[in-house]
Amino acid sequence: MNKSTFIVSQMDCPSEEQMIRMKLESYAQVKYLDFDIPNRKLEVYHLEGNEEIKASISELKLGDKFMGTEEAEPPVIEDQSKQKTILWWVLGINFGFFIIEMTTGWISSSMGLIADSLDMLADSIVYALSLFAVGGAISRKKKVAKFSGYFQIALATLGFAEVLRRFFTSSETPMFEWMIIVSILALLGNLISLWLINKAKSKEAHMQASAIFTSNDIIVNGGVILAGVLVYFLDSKWPDLVIGGIVFTFVMRGAIRILKLSK
């Protein structure tokens, strides 16, 4: 067994991990992939040569650098059942708050809540793709990623258009009470998700990446709460539009990453 090590500078979340997994899953010589996302490191345990592996990773254009190959035994694989249970809970929390925030966002006229709901949807898609990633299902997984990516881009584009419309026209001030209350609930949901992920004490890359994703969501939740407070004190729609525009940018970036999974 050989181990080829790569430094992948742009591998900072589950999207890039899934891109690499989907690219290498079809190679019979690849036996195990060990991701260290915080350190941007990938170790590929494989048989035979590594030229195809190196070429495939380079095609993703994630800033990869080949560090060398050595003989090694693959690490002991952790029990996946507990991890899958936790990821199902995290997926459920994210998708549930996508529905809640999207609904209350339209009711309260808050672009911040709507944008945050799409951010939750983006996370749900990545977690779902991770859970459904099973050998022979790679072609179906790519179709789901492609549909999800374009769907998310369409929603984010509509969101941007609505932000611009409200920016240049007279529109009502959002209901700050809904913004603050729903965002606090979403924040609690993400804190529970982070607690569940950390409770697993897993060194697996997808679990570490999930912790990073959830931590970023907590920051976004805090931004929407702050926008709600500013809407109250300033009696203005501008804080909501600003935070909505910023989060829609994150959503668009996430959608582009998801589209890359379908290639």
Side-chain angles (χ1 to χ4, degrees):
M1 183 76 69
N2 295 318
K3 179 181 74 174
S4 293
T5 303
F6 299 83
I7 297 297
V8 187
S9 62
Q10 297 179 35
M11 183 176 69
D12 60 359
C13 76
S15 296
E16 287 81 22
E17 178 194 344
Q18 286 302 309
M19 288 170 64
I20 295 171
R21 285 190 184 279
M22 290 176 65
K23 196 71 173 177
L24 300 181
E25 273 180 351
S26 59
Y27 294 124
Q29 71 264 37
V30 175
K31 300 304 178 182
Y32 185 79
L33 300 175
D34 190 9
F35 293 85
D36 181 357
I37 291 180
N39 294 312
R40 312 291 196 270
K41 185 169 74 172
L42 164 65
E43 293 177 340
V44 182
Y45 292 83
H46 60 92
L47 303 174
E48 305 170 357
N50 61 8
E51 293 305 316
E52 284 184 317
I53 296 170
K54 288 164 63 177
S56 294
I57 293 175
S58 294
E59 287 175 5
L60 295 173
K61 301 185 186 303
L62 295 175
D64 61 286
K65 181 180 180 182
F66 175 62
M67 305 303 291
T69 300
E70 60 184 342
E71 291 188 2
E73 290 298 320
V76 177
I77 301 175
E78 297 178 19
D79 178 21
Q80 302 293 309
S81 59
K82 184 178 180 181
Q83 294 178 15
K84 284 189 175 182
T85 300
I86 290 173
L87 287 177
W88 272 114
W89 274 102
V90 174
L91 169 60
I93 290 171
N94 274 269
F95 190 74
F97 274 104
F98 155 65
I99 296 173
I100 292 170
E101 289 190 304
M102 177 62 75
T103 303
T104 55
W106 282 114
I107 292 173
S108 63
S109 298
S110 170
M111 297 309 297
L113 281 179
I114 292 172
D116 194 25
S117 75
L118 294 184
D119 188 45
M120 289 287 200
L121 176 63
D123 293 352
S124 299
I125 292 170
V126 174
Y127 292 138
L129 288 171
S130 298
L131 285 166
F132 298 143
V134 181
I138 185 169
S139 59
R140 182 174 58 187
K141 181 181 173 185
K142 286 185 175 183
K143 290 179 181 178
V144 172
K146 187 174 183 178
F147 171 79
S148 300
Y150 282 123
F151 178 66
Q152 211 170 296
I153 285 176
L155 290 177
T157 301
L158 289 173
F160 273 123
E162 181 64 13
V163 167
L164 291 174
R165 186 191 71 79
R166 295 188 185 195
F167 183 84
F168 290 110
T169 63
S170 176
S171 59
E172 61 183 306
T173 302
M175 300 168 63
F176 69 89
E177 301 96 331
W178 284 91
M179 292 177 65
I180 295 173
I181 292 171
V182 175
S183 293
I184 288 175
L185 292 175
L187 175 63
L188 291 174
N190 279 317
L191 286 172
I192 292 171
S193 296
L194 188 60
W195 175 74
L196 288 171
I197 293 167
N198 289 333
K199 185 180 178 182
K201 296 180 180 179
S202 174
K203 294 183 179 179
E204 290 284 333
H206 62 279
M207 296 298 286
Q208 294 179 3
S210 297
I212 294 172
F213 244 33
T214 305
S215 298
N216 291 337
D217 288 343
I218 289 171
I219 295 172
V220 172
N221 295 147
V224 179
I225 293 170
L226 176 61
V229 172
L230 291 175
V231 166
Y232 168 69
F233 280 108
L234 300 177
D235 191 23
S236 170
K237 64 183 180 182
W238 305 118
D240 178 61
L241 294 181
V242 169
I243 194 65
I246 292 172
V247 179
F248 278 130
T249 301
F250 292 152
V251 172
M252 187 70 76
R253 180 169 175 259
I256 292 171
R257 284 178 167 177
I258 290 173
L259 274 180
K260 288 182 179 179
L261 297 178
S262 66
K263 295 181 179 180

